[in-house]
Amino acid sequence: MTRHICPVCGYDGLAEPAYDAGGCSSFEICPCCGIEFGYQDATTSHRVLRHRWVNQGMAWSHGLPPAQWDPLKQLRDAGLADDA
């Protein structure tokens, strides 16, 4: 199963890419940061949404986080920590 990365929080468990090659959103909701692609990010950049998520404490959004989940490591692994 291919896993895709959230462009907001770096979570690597999305079922589909947030946006396809043609720029169409998946409307999937990231279980980590809670962003629905094509909705919240339609008028607000991923960078601004990431800053909000970080400033609000980087809480897991839906259900239980994966065992030993580390949001800072997740951001670093996705190359997003410098922009958080």
Side-chain angles (χ1 to χ4, degrees):
M1 175 167 102
T2 301
R3 296 168 62 109
H4 303 278
I5 296 174
C6 174
V8 174
C9 70
Y11 175 65
D12 68 353
L14 299 179
E16 302 177 54
Y19 288 85
D20 67 16
C24 295
S25 67
S26 66
F27 290 100
E28 183 174 359
I29 298 172
C30 177
C32 179
C33 65
I35 298 302
E36 180 179 357
F37 307 109
Y39 183 66
Q40 282 107 331
D41 63 351
T43 57
T44 306
S45 73
H46 292 152
R47 182 173 187 250
V48 168
L49 293 168
R50 182 177 316 109
H51 283 263
R52 287 182 188 165
W53 179 68
V54 168
N55 289 335
Q56 292 171 354
M58 297 182 286
W60 187 265
S61 182
H62 298 291
L64 297 173
Q68 300 177 9
W69 173 67
D70 180 342
L72 292 175
K73 182 179 182 321
Q74 177 177 287
L75 285 168
R76 281 192 302 271
D77 290 350
L80 301 173
D82 291 338
D83 196 29

